[in-house]
Amino acid sequence: RSIFVDLTSGSCDSIRAGPLGKLFRDDNLITESSGHGSGGIWPSAFYVEGAEVAETVLDAIRRESERCDMLQGFQLMHSLGGGTGSGLSSLLSMKIRDEYPDRMLTDFAVFGSSKVSDSVVEPYNSVLAIHYLIENADQVICIDNEALLNQATKKLGIQSPRYSDLNRFATQMMSGVTSSLRF
């Protein structure tokens, strides 16, 4: 069961249009209605745009949770550099913890790198989000974008790694970490 959330429609539209788009329920691909996003800023995603979409996301979480025979917990996967990944994920982790206090909340948090992104607010967003990770998550698995980039260039010899290369490494790591929950 998956719910995809973004404050801009681009990533959810890519999933819908992609080769795996039919695997996911359309109402589990949630975007903020104005499509303006948070501007990459934590407070905007936490207090303004994120607050507008949070109840829709929680409704989807409730619907998917009710379809489970035995709900073990939740896994959040997000970047800490952008507004949605830091601000909205902070808000959702707090609301999930309030609504499901007895369920495990595992958080896969991708830390940004100046080699991968040029956003000057990434450190600010990360610092604000870390507080909510500490308060709400039972387990936080930190994924370092710069370490992924170094592995791709030095160990695998990929001269100019793309986001898809880094994402593949991150998903393989997440698959390994969560295999005991799935099998």
Side-chain angles (χ1 to χ4, degrees):
R1 302 179 198 283
S2 299
I3 300 169
F4 298 88
V5 183
D6 201 347
L7 293 177
T8 58
S9 61
S11 59
C12 287
D13 290 345
S14 295
I15 293 169
R16 279 186 189 99
L20 302 177
K22 300 267 189 266
L23 290 176
F24 306 107
R25 291 175 52 126
D26 195 53
D27 54 348
N28 283 358
L29 298 165
I30 302 167
T31 58
E32 197 262 328
S33 60
S34 74
H36 292 100
S38 65
I41 302 171
W42 186 93
S44 181
F46 188 89
Y47 292 111
V48 183
E49 285 83 4
E52 293 174 7
V53 75
E55 197 55 42
T56 304
V57 175
L58 289 172
D59 287 342
I61 291 171
R62 286 183 203 106
R63 182 182 60 243
E64 292 299 329
S65 297
E66 289 168 3
R67 294 177 60 208
C68 293
D69 293 331
M70 185 172 199
L71 179 66
Q72 290 181 323
F74 302 93
Q75 296 175 2
L76 295 179
M77 294 146 200
H78 58 97
S79 167
L80 292 178
T84 301
S86 61
L88 181 57
S89 294
S90 296
L91 180 63
L92 291 175
S93 69
M94 181 178 70
K95 290 185 175 289
I96 291 169
R97 175 57 64 210
D98 288 345
E99 194 156 327
Y100 300 93
D102 59 338
R103 299 295 174 227
M104 185 173 71
L105 180 59
T106 301
D107 197 293
F108 293 93
V110 179
F111 282 84
S113 164
S114 60
K115 292 181 180 178
V116 178
S117 172
D118 59 358
S119 174
V120 295
V121 295
E122 276 191 5
Y124 166 76
N125 290 339
S126 296
V127 167
L128 290 170
I130 287 171
H131 166 73
Y132 288 89
L133 292 177
I134 293 169
E135 289 294 316
N136 298 304
D138 296 304
Q139 179 181 24
V140 178
I141 294 138
C142 299
I143 303 169
D144 180 6
N145 251 352
E146 192 162 335
L148 292 175
L149 184 67
N150 289 339
Q151 290 295 315
T153 56
K154 293 179 182 171
K155 299 286 185 186
L156 299 176
I158 302 171
Q159 295 299 325
S160 298
R162 298 172 308 215
Y163 280 117
S164 60
D165 296 321
L166 302 180
N167 287 341
R168 187 178 74 245
F169 298 148
T171 56
Q172 287 172 342
M173 183 274 306
M174 290 188 288
S175 179
V177 169
T178 61
S179 64
S180 64
L181 297 173
R182 292 179 283 116
F183 302 109

